[in-house]
């Protein structure tokens, strides 16, 4: 195994200079790094295509043709070299916009050429721009019959050192000559057999030098499986170690507070899903193991009350609880809504944020240490060093995407026995992502909305239909309901933002004049207390219209609001749109979401708005989002490591991920220490590559 750690400069054909560039440009430091530097695509040079075979939207193809004529046409910018080539089935145009002189010189009429490129259609006829082209020769004939040619991504700098795709391929060939016989199997043979995977050795050889496309697919599947398998193994190993290391607080009883709340204070019937999740939490918190549970529930599914009842459970068992939210507005709102559900002396509850006054803060911290404070609601302020609980039993984290994993860990460190952790997210994430991002957590899903809710009606209007929008507003306000109007936040230009907003407000105040109508305005330039003041006016129903930039995105709860208008809706991402829409439809009356957009939409923008009109289901929306954007742009993925995936793709390879996870779950069930004979090699390999994962490092 040692050989794989050999510095890359010792590989035949590398040397110190190239080694430097390989390190700098593509992070290849060792033999192993290079071995896992996979081609990003393959060129099919296994055959020559016929011109009449070329269809619409074809990939790169290779054709064998005779050059009939060529000429330079057009003026200045549109000047181009056009060549006519034929085979026995038809005719094709080759076009160059650059390097005309040089290419023109090399072309020979009536000679046979091997032409390679991406065909497009122009005016109904096939065409190829800037193809690769060489005179047909014996050599090219042989090469043409060769195989799938790997293409490695290279950089300008690498190319200066002759390390273009071909150059890298040459190194790969040297590398495989050197290490091939040393490549060892790591997956147990029964797994290889079950999924018909290639041996690791063959998979690595085939991915770099495929014999044919069938074997290539198997090689890719094998390496993808391996990649996802080890991520899952790591996550589930962490989970296993955590259960070994940490005792958990035992919430043995369902006590007075919980029962009293349930029987006398709860203003509605819990949904089946809420009950189920509460049961899961109760079960988890009795086991003497630290609970780490993610509760996924669509906007409006009623996560807050689940959090509250879990906190009451903690209190009944002699513990404190805290609830952390990503913004001050949200924390404040949680605090208010929890207080409103509980009589004054029921539990001691306080709010701690960045703007808590010094004197109040001091009192809160004291009560916290003595233990007289039962529930602390707040923002990031909760994880500061000075905040010390007497015995924190449960930490609820709302909308956790905005809290890093490390911040979560900080909360856990506040106690000898770490508190149970309940992470609540209203941004549904596709299952595949959840498995990879939160694979070490248990997941509960609140997949049911409270009874009697009418699904929100979503309407997409263009600028010239603005009168209809005013119509909706007027009608709903006349019924005593309230309206949100949301403007996008342009990160780059706070000024432009404000301008946009102000223009909008001007129009709105003309349509909805005082004194009949009142408007609240909230945007990023306001100070927290100004924001709070405006929010409160709306929450209390003193204003009918709330104009805002996206600060109201998460969590804000005004059940009387029935219209959500989103301006420039095409500028928002899907999950944001869904979050915003979730601000209405919280009561029993019909609510509306109106997406205003400009007339011309990008293809993607159109899909987003159509998806919103079509469905209210957050999970469905998140799947579309993943398809459109890939995992990289989905919140929370950045710090997770899943973006370092070399081969697997979370959108394409869901199936493989499921199987890999299932396999790991079975292994962890049967042999968590990986000590059985059939898992020994796997265990050695895993522990060697994950030296960081030991009991004392787990948090
Ligand atoms: P979210 O899951 O988006 O955080 P909330 O907890 O804010 O949702 O709940 C949304 C609204 O639904 C609140 O007004 C809450 O009081 C109400 N609610 C929650 N659960 C139920 C239920 N079982 N029946 C009726 N209304 C409910
Ligand atoms: Mg919420």
């Amino acid at each position: 195994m040692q050989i794989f750690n050999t510095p890359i400069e010792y590989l035949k054909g590398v040397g110190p200079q190239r080694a430097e560039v390989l390190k700098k440009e593509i992070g290849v430091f060792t033999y192993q790094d290079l071995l896992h530097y996979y081609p990003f695509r393959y060129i099919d040079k296994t055959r020559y295509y016929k011109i009449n075979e070329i269809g619409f939207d074809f990939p790169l193809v290779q054709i064998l043709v005779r050059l009939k004529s060529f000429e330079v046409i057009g003026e200045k910018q549109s000047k181009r070299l056009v060549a006519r080539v034929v085979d026995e089935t038809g005719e094709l145009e080759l076009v160059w916009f650059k390097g005309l002189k040089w290419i023109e010189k090399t072309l020979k009429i009536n000679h046979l050429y091997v032409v390679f490129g991406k065909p497009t259609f122009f005016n109904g006829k096939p065409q190829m721009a800037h193809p690769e082209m060489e005179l047909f020769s014996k050599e090219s004939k042989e090469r043409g019959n060769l195989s799938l040619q790997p293409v490695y991504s290279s950089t300008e700098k690498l190319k200066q050192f002759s390390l273009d795709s071909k150059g890298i391929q040459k190194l790969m060939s040297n590398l495989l000559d050197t290490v091939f016989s040393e490549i060892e199997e790591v997956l147990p043979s029964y797994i290889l057999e079950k999924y018909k995977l290639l041996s690791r050795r063959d998979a690595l050889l085939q991915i770099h030098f495929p014999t044919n496309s069938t074997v290539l697919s198997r090689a890719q599947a094998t390496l993808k499986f391996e990649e996802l398998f080890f991520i899952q193994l790591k996550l589930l190993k962490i989970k296993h170690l955590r259960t070994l290391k940490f005792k958990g607080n035992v919430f043995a009883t369902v006590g007075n507070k919980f029962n009293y709340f349930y029987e006398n204070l709860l203003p509605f019937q819990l949904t089946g899903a809420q009950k189920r999740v509460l049961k899961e939490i109760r079960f988890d918190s009795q086991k003497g193991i630290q609970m780490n549970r993610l509760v996924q529930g669509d906007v409006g599914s009623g996560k807050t009350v689940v959090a509250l009842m879990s906190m009451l459970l903690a209190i009944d068992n002699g513990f404190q609880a805290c609830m952390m939210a990503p913004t001050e507005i949200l924390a404040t709102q949680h605090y208010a809504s929890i207080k409103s559900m509980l009589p004054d002396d029921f539990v001691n509850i306080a709010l701690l944020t960045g703007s808590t006054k010094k004197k109040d803060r001091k009192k809160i911290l004291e009560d916290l240490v003595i233990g007289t404070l039962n529930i602390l609601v707040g923002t990031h302020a909760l994880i500061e060093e000075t905040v010390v609980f007497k015995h924190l039993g449960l930490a609820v984290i709302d909308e956790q995407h905005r809290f890093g994993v490390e911040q979560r860990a900080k909360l856990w460190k506040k106690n000898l026995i770490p508190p149970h952790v309940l992470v609540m997210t209203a941004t549904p994430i596709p299952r595949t992502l959840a498995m990879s991002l939160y694979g070490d957590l248990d997941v509960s899903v609140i997949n049911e909305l409270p009874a009697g809710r009418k699904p929100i009606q979503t309407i997409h209007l263009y600028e010239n239909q603005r009168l209809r929008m005013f119509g909706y507003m007027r009608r709903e306000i006349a019924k005593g309901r309230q309206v949100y109007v949301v403007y996008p936040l342009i990160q780059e230009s706070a000024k432009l933002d404000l301008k946009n907003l102000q223009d909008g407000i001007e129009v709105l105040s003309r349509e909805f004049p005082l004194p009949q109508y009142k408007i609240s305005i909230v945007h990023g330039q306001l100070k927290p207390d100004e924001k709070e003041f405006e929010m409160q006016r709306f929450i209390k129903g003193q204003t009918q219209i709330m104009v805002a930039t996206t600060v109201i995105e998460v969590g804000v709860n005004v059940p009387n609001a029935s219209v959500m208008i989103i301006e420039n809706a095409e500028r928002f991402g899907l999950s944001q749109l869904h979050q915003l829409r979730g601000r209405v439809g919280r009561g029993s009356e019909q609510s509306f979401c109106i997406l205003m957009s400009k007339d011309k939409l990008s293809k993607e923008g159109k899909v987003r708005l159509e998806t919103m009109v079509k469905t209210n289901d957050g999970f469905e929306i998140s799947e579309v989002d993943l398809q459109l954007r890939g995992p990289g742009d989905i919140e929370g993925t950045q710090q997770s490591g899943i973006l370092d995936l070399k081969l697997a793709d979370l959108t394409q390879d869901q199936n493989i991920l499921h199987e890999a996870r299932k396999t790991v779950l079975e292994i962890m069930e049967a042999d968590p220490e990986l000590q059985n004979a059939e898992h020994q090699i796997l265990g050695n390999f895993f522990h060697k590559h994950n030296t960081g994962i030991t009991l004392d490092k787990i948090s």
Side-chain angles (χ1 to χ4, degrees):
M1 287 303 271
Q2 210 44 46
I3 191 166
F4 292 100
N5 293 325
T6 312
I8 196 68
E9 70 170 284
Y10 298 114
L11 181 67
K12 189 176 148 206
V14 179
Q17 278 194 337
R18 281 180 157 189
E20 264 325 290
V21 243
L22 284 169
K23 284 179 211 169
K24 278 222 181 86
E25 294 288 299
I26 52 174
V28 168
F29 287 79
T30 61
Y31 283 15
Q32 169 157 289
D33 295 338
L34 186 62
L35 190 60
H36 296 296
Y37 192 69
Y38 302 132
F40 71 96
R41 65 184 170 89
Y42 298 83
I43 293 172
D44 184 3
K45 290 198 170 172
T46 51
R47 56 170 290 209
Y48 294 120
Y49 279 78
K50 298 289 173 210
I51 290 178
N52 72 354
E53 280 182 289
I54 296 173
F56 199 67
D57 198 22
F58 247 51
L60 291 154
V61 295
Q62 178 175 254
I63 51 178
L64 182 59
V65 289
R66 196 172 294 282
L67 178 64
K68 293 312 281 184
S69 67
F70 60 89
E71 61 177 330
V72 175
I73 57 173
E75 290 292 323
K76 292 197 178 142
Q77 302 292 355
S78 65
K79 198 164 160 182
R80 60 200 186 272
L81 172 63
V82 179
R84 214 160 54 82
V85 296
V86 297
D87 67 8
E88 69 274 21
T89 70
E91 182 182 312
L92 178 84
E93 262 182 16
L94 309 178
V95 189
W96 290 266
F97 301 93
K98 279 183 200 149
L100 312 188
K101 280 224 177 79
W102 186 76
I103 295 159
E104 209 179 346
K105 250 184 243 163
T106 61
L107 294 179
K108 292 184 181 133
I109 301 249
N110 269 333
H111 279 65
L112 268 182
Y113 281 92
V114 177
V115 172
F116 179 79
K118 173 149 175 69
T120 50
F121 269 75
F122 187 71
N123 284 339
K125 281 193 279 187
Q127 191 182 70
M128 220 181 252
H130 287 263
E132 285 174 35
M133 199 163 167
E134 63 187 21
L135 277 170
F136 180 73
S137 64
K138 230 187 165 161
E139 202 197 357
S140 53
K141 187 175 166 195
E142 273 160 20
R143 195 145 34 75
N145 287 334
L146 222 175
S147 59
L148 293 163
Q149 292 200 352
V151 182
Y152 296 93
S153 67
S154 178
T155 65
E156 280 312 310
K157 196 86 203 223
L158 281 167
K159 283 175 192 163
Q160 283 170 24
F161 288 80
S162 301
L163 293 175
D164 56 1
S165 179
K166 286 243 167 69
I168 294 173
Q169 193 185 5
K170 213 171 278 165
L171 294 187
M172 209 59 85
S173 165
N174 295 344
L175 177 66
L176 279 161
D177 283 348
T178 316
V179 303
F180 184 70
S181 59
E182 309 276 336
I183 298 174
E184 284 170 1
E185 203 50 66
V186 290
L187 293 178
S189 55
Y190 72 89
I191 295 177
L192 296 187
E193 214 132 284
K194 178 168 175 194
Y195 292 106
K196 300 285 175 282
L197 302 178
L198 292 183
S199 71
R200 189 156 189 266
R201 201 181 271 183
D202 284 341
L204 284 165
L205 176 65
Q206 288 291 332
I207 197 142
H208 291 296
F209 297 96
T211 333
N212 58 50
S213 55
T214 318
V215 190
L216 174 61
S217 303
R218 281 184 69 194
Q220 286 169 326
T222 302
L223 294 173
K224 283 174 179 179
F225 184 92
E226 189 190 301
E227 191 168 33
L228 295 169
F229 177 92
F230 279 107
I231 291 177
Q232 290 302 319
L233 186 58
K234 188 168 162 183
L235 287 167
L236 292 170
K237 204 70 187 169
I238 288 174
K239 184 174 170 189
H240 173 68
L241 286 175
R242 206 157 49 207
T243 59
L244 287 186
K245 176 174 179 183
F246 292 133
K247 300 232 162 24
N249 298 312
V250 178
F251 296 174
T253 51
V254 177
N256 290 336
K257 303 273 183 207
F258 187 98
N259 284 331
Y260 188 83
F261 178 83
Y262 186 69
E263 279 153 27
N264 303 305
L265 301 173
L266 189 64
F268 39 69
Q269 288 264 314
L270 291 178
T271 63
Q274 284 171 321
K275 280 188 191 157
R276 173 168 43 73
V277 172
L278 271 171
K279 229 180 241 162
E280 285 165 350
I281 291 167
R282 268 174 49 191
F283 181 73
D284 259 14
S285 58
Q286 290 167 0
K287 288 193 292 197
I289 297 169
Q290 185 204 17
M291 168 175 78
N292 274 281
R293 187 167 280 281
L294 174 75
V295 177
Q296 276 204 65
D298 218 337
V299 270
S301 61
K303 292 182 292 295
T304 316
V305 73
V306 171
L308 172 58
M309 292 181 73
S310 308
M311 293 198 283
L312 293 179
L313 193 62
I315 295 168
D316 277 339
N317 286 277
F319 293 96
Q320 293 163 300
C322 71
M323 183 164 186
M324 192 156 73
T327 66
E328 193 155 338
I329 290 182
L330 258 182
T332 309
Q333 182 145 24
H334 275 319
Y335 174 73
S337 82
I338 289 174
K339 279 216 90 146
S340 75
M341 280 192 268
L342 305 175
D344 271 350
D345 299 335
F346 196 66
V347 293
N348 284 320
I349 164 168
L351 174 69
L352 183 70
T353 69
S355 47
T356 303
K357 301 224 169 58
K358 225 174 175 177
K359 202 180 86 210
D360 298 337
R361 189 183 153 87
K362 188 159 169 274
K363 172 94 169 66
I364 289 172
L365 294 185
E366 280 169 11
D367 291 351
L368 210 54
V369 178
I370 316 167
T372 48
L373 189 60
N374 305 117
I375 294 178
L376 183 60
V377 180
T379 53
H380 285 75
L382 297 197
I383 55 178
E384 283 163 18
E385 296 294 325
T386 48
V387 180
V388 182
F389 293 82
K390 181 163 187 233
H391 35 214
L392 179 61
L394 171 71
V396 179
I397 305 177
D398 197 19
E399 312 293 352
Q400 89 110 153
H401 285 84
R402 293 155 196 239
F403 289 106
V405 174
E406 274 158 39
Q407 287 170 315
R408 248 201 282 158
K410 258 194 184 168
L411 255 180
W412 303 348
K413 292 211 175 88
K414 289 200 176 288
N415 282 62
L416 212 56
I417 295 180
H420 296 305
V421 175
L422 205 56
V423 175
M424 308 250 171
T425 169
T427 314
I429 30 181
R431 271 182 58 78
T432 48
L433 267 185
M435 263 191 250
S436 313
L437 284 175
Y438 308 114
D440 62 325
L441 306 184
D442 292 308
V443 178
S444 295
V445 182
I446 307 187
N447 51 358
E448 184 185 348
L449 292 181
R453 292 264 173 89
K454 293 209 176 68
I456 302 162
Q457 270 183 37
T458 302
I459 301 140
H460 174 198
L461 297 180
Y462 293 98
E463 191 49 48
N464 60 12
Q465 296 169 296
R466 191 164 282 274
L467 286 181
R468 270 182 70 191
M469 167 193 128
F470 292 140
Y472 276 106
M473 290 177 70
R474 228 168 254 126
R475 211 177 59 207
E476 290 297 304
I477 293 173
K479 284 193 226 155
R481 315 297 304 278
Q482 290 163 286
V483 178
Y484 293 103
V485 183
V486 176
Y487 283 84
L489 210 117
I490 311 158
Q491 228 82 31
E492 309 87 62
S493 162
K495 261 202 194 132
L496 204 66
D497 251 15
L498 207 55
K499 168 95 176 50
N500 223 342
L501 188 80
Q502 278 161 349
D503 290 351
I505 291 166
E506 233 184 271
V507 176
L508 279 174
S509 358
R510 238 178 289 133
E511 287 294 325
F512 299 93
L514 285 165
Q516 190 187 353
Y517 299 99
K518 296 188 192 65
I519 303 181
S520 283
I521 301 169
V522 175
H523 57 79
Q525 256 75 19
L526 294 182
K527 298 205 182 73
D529 54 336
E530 293 171 327
K531 259 186 221 172
E532 183 54 32
F533 176 77
E534 290 287 305
M535 288 289 304
Q536 285 306 332
R537 289 207 309 153
F538 188 69
I539 291 169
K540 289 181 192 140
Q542 294 163 356
T543 58
Q544 300 98 335
I545 301 172
M546 155 73 84
V547 182
T549 46
T550 44
V551 281
I552 59 158
E553 187 180 330
V554 255
V556 174
N557 189 20
V558 180
N560 187 47
S562 65
V563 184
M564 167 61 68
I565 291 164
I566 305 177
E567 294 282 356
N568 297 112
E570 76 279 0
R571 292 227 218 118
F572 289 86
L574 261 179
S575 73
Q576 248 185 332
L577 289 172
H578 182 62
Q579 285 295 319
L580 285 170
R581 176 168 61 185
R583 298 305 111 219
V584 295
R586 308 195 138 226
S588 52
E589 308 285 324
Q590 179 64 55
S591 288
F592 303 90
C593 173
I594 301 177
L595 307 169
M596 297 299 299
S597 84
K598 57 178 187 182
D599 297 342
K600 274 233 158 88
L601 294 174
S602 68
K603 203 165 140 193
E604 215 193 288
K606 211 164 176 182
V607 174
R608 284 200 298 264
L609 299 188
E610 278 167 1
T611 305
M612 288 297 293
V613 171
K614 200 179 77 191
T615 179
N616 273 307
D617 180 339
F619 284 96
E620 201 177 324
I621 288 170
S622 74
E623 293 287 351
V624 177
D625 201 28
L626 182 63
Q627 302 277 351
L628 285 179
R629 301 198 297 169
D633 285 323
I634 295 197
E635 257 183 290
T637 56
Q638 266 76 6
Q639 71 279 49
S640 69
I642 58 160
L643 297 180
D644 302 337
L645 287 175
K646 290 206 163 57
L647 210 55
D649 172 331
L650 292 180
T651 12
Q652 311 283 317
D653 302 321
Q654 308 206 355
N655 220 348
I656 303 182
L657 175 58
H658 280 282
E659 293 305 316
R661 181 163 174 97
K662 198 176 116 215
T663 307
V664 174
L665 281 171
E666 281 162 13
I667 292 178
M668 291 305 288
E669 179 87 359
D671 180 21
E673 304 302 332
L674 306 176
Q675 280 167 338
N676 295 353
E678 80 248 35
H679 295 144
Q680 253 169 34
I681 295 171
L682 175 66
N684 289 342
F685 181 85
F686 176 78
H687 289 120
K688 212 172 127 194
H689 288 270
N690 292 284
T691 43
I693 303 182
T694 54
L695 267 183
D696 50 311
K697 294 227 175 100
I698 296 290
S699 56

